[in-house]
Amino acid sequence: MTMSIPRGESDEVSIATLTDNGAKGRFGVSYVRSIISQAGVGFTETPPDEDVLAVDGTVDFAVASARIQVKCSSRFKIAGSSASWHSELHWRERWKESGVPVYFVLVILDYDERPHWIDHHASGTNHKAAAFWVRVNQLEEGGSIHIPKTQRLTIDSLYVWAKEVESCFFPAVV
């Protein structure tokens, strides 16, 4: 016995179980996780409903972990000098309490539609995204986080983060 799957108007089966925002959120964390993996560093994701510290996960360095909050958006373009994201007061309060660095990572998708986020071709797969970061547990008061696009998330960023984590435990001698 065979069963047919109902098709939409475009004759394409919808397999999506996530909302558009849910899919962006998962893409953002997965994108960041891929860069962290490329560096050979562990990542521990905060379980759903346990993000009471306003972080999506920890980047697990040898000395200690850094905390990260990840947002993903197509409201911005990858090109440009900076982006801004509204922050909740309770996020900032939680971040300031942290004894280790907390980083805000903004993953920018140049396209809003899911089929355009990733390009599969014969020589590989390209993500049409880029991530940028800023340390947020030392921010001044205010409602927006300004993310400079000079701080693109790469393997080199993780070396910077590791040094900042280490400095929490082994301050430089003056």
Side-chain angles (χ1 to χ4, degrees), residues 37-110:
S37 295
Q38 183 185 25
V41 177
F43 177 76
T44 304
E45 190 170 352
T46 305
D49 299 325
E50 291 185 24
D51 60 347
V52 296
L53 299 176
V55 295
D56 291 316
T58 58
V59 181
D60 304 319
F61 298 111
V63 171
S65 298
R67 296 173 175 170
I68 61 171
Q69 173 70 27
V70 180
K71 295 295 179 187
C72 184
S73 179
S74 57
R75 289 187 315 185
F76 309 98
K77 292 295 178 193
I78 293 171
S81 60
S82 68
S84 291
W85 193 272
H86 175 74
S87 66
E88 303 291 331
L89 177 60
H90 70 276
W91 296 355
R92 285 179 179 261
E93 289 170 349
R94 295 290 186 232
W95 296 338
K96 282 186 179 185
E97 293 172 357
S98 181
V100 295
V102 181
Y103 301 99
F104 183 89
V105 178
L106 177 61
V107 178
I108 297 177
L109 295 162
D110 259 346

Side-chain angles (χ1 to χ4, degrees), residues 15 20 25 41 63 75 85 88 94 98 101 118 132 139 143 151 157 163:
I15 59 169
D20 287 343
V41 177
V63 171
R75 289 187 315 185
W85 193 272
E88 303 291 331
R94 295 290 186 232
S98 181
I118 300 174
F132 305 90
L139 287 178
Q151 293 185 172
S157 308
K163 285 181 182 178

Side-chain angles (χ1 to χ4, degrees), residues 134-146:
V134 65
R135 187 169 174 178
V136 291
N137 60 311
Q138 300 174 334
L139 287 178
E140 300 296 322
E141 296 299 318
S144 290
I145 301 166
H146 299 285

